[in-house]
Amino acid sequence: MERKLIPYKVIEVVDSVEENIPEGIKLIHAEELWEDANHGEGVVIAVIDTGIDRNHPDLKDRIIDGKDFTDSGDYQDDNGHGTHVSGTILATMNQFGVVGVAPRASVLALKALKGDGTGDVQWINQAIDYAINWKGPDGEKVSVISMSLGGPEEEEEHQLIKKAVQQNILVVCAAGNSGDGRDNTDELDYPGAYPEVVQVGAVDLEKNLADFSNTNDEIDLVAPGVEIFSTYPGGKFAKLSGTSMATPHVSGAAALIKNIAEKEFERKLTEAELYAQLCKSTEDLGISKKAQGNGVLNLTSLHKTAEKEIMITIESKSLGLSAQTVSISYK
């Protein structure tokens, strides 16, 4: 069985950038969490894709490890998609380049798709299994798996994803680009449509649902996926469109949220807890849940939720109630 990249569109490729922070990063307000989240430092994200440009100045310092599953020899990107996705997640702060959502996180680059964007499902499965069991030089483990690929259901893949979730790895996947502009019809691509994953749809930079974005009742949230600027092989930069471009915004955001929440809770989060915090970090667009899930990614919502919970606790105490009597969650 074959897996392939979720179809995407290359808008333009350029040699340099005029602005370091891409519009998609601004739309989700990532920079407002950087200081509190230590820019995602210490979080390892496994990107299962076409590899990565190992020499790109905005990415080379973020690569903690990598492996090729396609028999091509190494995990160097010979397509462009994996480099673009990785840049949105964690491109480092560089005076002449772009910055990602979590610019101090680390990427485990797992090449499971060939230069033409296709690959055997067994390569994907091997990469998922590798990510689950991988340990870094200082004992690091993968916290997030990011995949922007699709195809039909496959049982072994599904079981491996369940295993990853059981081991507290958040699995973030693209919804797919087969949308017909109607939310009353379902379009399903896997692994995105498995209930255990975080399935990400796409909006444009005006927060309008992209007409290509799949809709179904497993959509968890949406993120910027139209004309997204990021890194590209050869030290270049490119503007691409697709739910593939929305997914890495969420994968990077998970790194920021994880660092902030674990600092507040003073312990490690479970996958379910990280998912809950991610769902809180959304803004309702007033459209069908089958199109937007919980809403568009908006990282300022996380701080607003915390402020509301603090106010509720203070008010409850002023009424002579214990803090345990109040348990309210906002999205």
Side-chain angles (χ1 to χ4, degrees):
M1 185 184 295
E2 188 178 72
R3 279 282 185 263
K4 57 184 179 181
L5 292 176
I6 299 288
Y8 64 99
K9 185 176 182 180
V10 179
I11 309 299
E12 66 174 334
V13 179
V14 297
D15 294 324
S16 61
V17 300
E18 295 181 1
E19 191 169 3
N20 293 97
I21 304 178
E23 291 301 315
I25 308 296
K26 291 179 181 178
L27 188 146
I28 67 169
H29 301 282
E31 68 272 26
E32 296 179 36
L33 265 64
W34 281 343
E35 185 174 351
D36 286 349
N38 200 19
H39 300 79
E41 186 170 358
V43 180
V44 178
I45 300 170
V47 176
I48 300 176
D49 211 291
T50 61
I52 193 169
D53 181 356
R54 301 167 66 172
N55 302 310
H56 199 292
D58 292 2
L59 296 174
K60 62 182 182 180
D61 294 334
R62 304 268 56 84
I63 303 170
I64 193 169
D65 199 1
K67 187 174 176 62
D68 170 53
F69 296 90
T70 69
D71 300 324
S72 66
D74 70 13
Y75 56 91
Q76 180 70 18
D77 186 7
D78 50 4
N79 174 280
H81 189 275
T83 296
H84 194 274
V85 164
S86 297
T88 296
I89 296 174
L90 44 59
T92 194
M93 290 184 173
N94 185 313
Q95 180 181 359
F96 304 105
V98 296
V99 63
V101 177
R104 290 185 190 164
S106 298
V107 61
L108 173 63
L110 303 179
K111 183 175 181 176
L113 298 173
K114 299 178 295 184
D116 64 359
T118 66
D120 193 289
V121 71
Q122 287 305 313
W123 296 347
I124 309 297
N125 293 344
Q126 290 166 15
I128 297 171
D129 188 59
Y130 187 85
I132 292 170
N133 296 296
W134 177 88
K135 286 189 178 180
D138 296 316
E140 301 94 337
K141 298 188 73 176
V142 169
S143 295
V144 181
I145 293 175
S146 187
M147 292 188 282
S148 295
L149 46 87
E153 292 184 79
E154 203 276 326
E155 182 59 27
E156 184 181 354
E157 177 186 67
H158 194 187
Q159 292 304 317
L160 283 165
I161 286 171
K162 289 180 181 179
K163 181 180 177 181
V165 170
Q166 289 166 359
Q167 296 197 22
N168 291 318
I169 299 173
L170 190 76
V171 182
V172 184
C173 300
N177 299 342
S178 303
D180 57 9
R182 296 181 294 157
D183 57 30
N184 61 347
T185 57
D186 288 353
E187 301 87 29
L188 302 173
D189 266 311
Y190 296 87
Y194 295 131
E196 293 81 10
V197 312
V198 180
Q199 184 181 196
V200 185
V203 294
D204 63 21
L205 296 175
E206 302 298 324
K207 299 183 184 178
N208 300 306
L209 187 73
D211 57 8
F212 56 73
S213 188
N214 282 10
T215 58
N216 59 72
D217 58 10
E218 293 292 344
I219 299 288
D220 290 285
L221 75 168
V222 292
V226 178
E227 297 191 2
I228 300 304
F229 204 68
S230 185
T231 49
Y232 212 60
K236 297 180 184 295
F237 305 90
K239 189 179 288 186
L240 275 58
S241 292
T243 55
S244 287
M245 285 62 254
T247 301
H249 285 90
V250 176
S251 300
L256 299 180
I257 293 168
K258 178 180 172 67
N259 277 358
I260 290 174
E262 290 187 349
K263 188 190 307 180
E264 293 174 348
F265 287 111
E266 299 183 356
R267 62 173 174 80
K268 297 290 185 181
L269 293 187
T270 64
E271 185 274 346
E273 289 171 327
L274 180 55
Y275 172 73
Q277 293 296 315
L278 183 62
C279 290
K280 287 181 180 181
S281 305
T282 55
E283 171 191 341
D284 187 358
L285 295 175
I287 60 176
S288 168
K289 297 297 183 184
K290 293 179 71 173
Q292 70 163 345
N294 288 279
V296 63
L297 182 62
N298 180 348
L299 291 171
T300 59
S301 299
L302 190 65
H303 281 166
K304 290 177 182 176
T305 299
E307 289 169 3
K308 289 177 181 177
E309 290 174 345
I310 289 169
M311 290 174 64
I312 291 166
T313 302
I314 291 172
E315 184 176 353
S316 69
K317 287 183 177 179
S318 70
L319 295 172
L321 304 173
S322 66
Q324 287 81 1
T325 60
V326 180
S327 178
I328 298 177
S329 176
Y330 285 83
K331 291 183 181 177

